[in-house]
Amino acid sequence: MGEPQPNRNTPLVDRRHGQPGTVVVVGDVRFGDNKVVVIGGPCAVETPSQMARTAAQVAAAGATMLRGGAWKPRTSPYDFQGLGAEGLAILAEARRATGLPVVTEVMDPRDVETVAGVADMLQIGSRSVQNFPLLREAGASGKPVLLKRGMMTTLDEWLNAAEYVLAAGGTDLVFCERGIRTFEPALRNTLDVGAVAVLKDLTHLPVIVDPSHASGRAEYVAALARAAVAAGADGLLVETHCDPDLALSDADQSLGPDQFTALVASCRAVARAVGRDV
Ligand code: PEP
Ligand code: MN
């Protein structure tokens, strides 16, 4: 008889009694350790110079990982869809220039091999959280996975989505709370800060927060980021742009370099107040 197989009563994502948190390692970055990880970069990779400038700025401000979408899930098929494989090459160049690992979204199970060939971490976006073939393919790729919460996903559904990745052989998964859809229209979404605290209890895997998609507005991103750190988030995913007004997607929520630098400093103060660091 081999090891008992995981089943619905013993999910791999669950934190067993007394089990310490799992640290997910991506290059030099450690999710779930004392240091709160800050990921910065544009919503979408647009041009080599946009990515190079933005990457240099976030690295200088203290980000330890880069983001940027090459394949973009857009509400309208007529909006900018991302550069695809060309975007991956631009991300690879930004990694080379900064030394920082990169995370980027994969939307189609058929693209997992291509994206995994370049990215250090695969992002599965909100709209794909229950795309089960994609979850399986990402899990089988062996790459760390950043799993966003869907805008209408309960914690139980989200945990089960992560279980698909782990059941397919994935071991390194980080959850990313990015706001849920509620009755409140003032912001793009409603950041579920409570979900961070609850999830840290339910799972041994790290939990980060994306205050950019949660707020939809640049002027509120830092406040949500500080709340996330205070609630115990293991990291932040923040959309930044060298020239936010010109961003081809999510311009309203993109931070310029000075705003991003200020965000990192204020989150560092909060992190230190709760016994961590940035
Ligand atoms: C993104 O990170 O650019 C993105 C599309 O996020 P979400 O899936 O959370 O909407
Ligand atoms: Mn975006």
Side-chain angles (χ1 to χ4, degrees):
M1 290 246 296
E3 288 285 303
Q5 293 301 304
N7 59 53
R8 62 165 60 252
N9 299 317
T10 58
L12 296 161
V13 294
D14 276 16
R15 192 194 281 274
R16 315 247 172 270
H17 183 71
Q19 184 181 357
T22 293
V23 174
V24 169
V25 179
V26 183
D28 291 338
V29 174
R30 296 173 63 82
F31 292 92
D33 227 343
N34 192 53
K35 248 184 134 164
V36 176
V37 175
V38 180
I39 306 169
C43 179
V45 179
E46 298 168 1
T47 65
S49 82
Q50 168 252 13
M51 190 65 217
R53 288 172 61 205
T54 308
Q57 288 163 349
V58 298
T64 51
M65 191 158 169
L66 298 177
R67 63 151 285 144
W71 279 270
K72 294 304 303 176
R74 303 307 302 280
T75 300
S76 165
Y78 306 117
D79 288 339
F80 177 59
Q81 302 286 306
L83 300 178
E86 190 189 339
L88 286 183
I90 294 172
L91 277 173
E93 173 55 25
R95 169 178 52 205
R96 194 201 57 72
T98 58
L100 303 184
V102 299
V103 57
T104 195
E105 178 161 356
V106 57
M107 288 167 54
D108 188 321
R110 294 167 295 187
D111 291 333
V112 167
E113 203 179 325
T114 303
V115 178
V118 175
D120 300 288
M121 187 178 211
L122 306 179
Q123 177 171 321
I124 296 189
S126 291
R127 292 154 191 81
S128 301
V129 66
Q130 289 188 308
N131 181 337
F132 302 118
L134 177 63
L135 295 168
R136 284 202 190 92
E137 204 66 42
S141 76
K143 283 281 172 181
V145 170
L146 183 65
L147 182 63
K148 294 258 195 137
R149 183 181 187 178
M151 57 189 91
M152 298 287 281
T153 313
T154 65
L155 295 190
D156 185 57
E157 289 164 340
W158 194 13
L159 287 161
N160 271 293
E163 190 69 18
Y164 268 88
V165 175
L166 270 53
T171 52
D172 300 327
L173 183 137
V174 175
F175 290 91
C176 181
E177 160 66 33
R178 47 76 78 202
I180 52 175
R181 191 167 274 182
T182 70
F183 55 82
E184 177 51 64
L187 295 176
R188 182 175 180 180
N189 289 292
T190 299
L191 178 62
D192 187 0
V193 174
V196 177
V198 175
L199 216 59
K200 293 287 297 175
D201 243 359
L202 296 179
T203 177
H204 57 96
L205 295 165
V207 181
I208 73 167
V209 166
D210 166 357
S212 303
H213 293 86
S215 68
R217 291 172 58 181
E219 63 266 44
Y220 299 119
V221 170
L224 299 195
R226 289 191 294 271
V229 174
D234 296 305
L236 299 166
L237 177 81
V238 180
E239 284 188 346
T240 67
H241 198 285
C242 52
D243 200 346
D245 292 343
L246 300 182
L248 294 181
S249 61
D250 287 345
D252 293 347
Q253 70 196 34
S254 296
L255 302 189
D258 294 345
Q259 290 168 302
F260 183 72
T261 302
L263 176 147
V264 173
S266 75
C267 286
R268 180 170 292 130
V270 173
R272 288 178 180 167
V274 297
R276 298 184 81 166
D277 207 348
V278 169

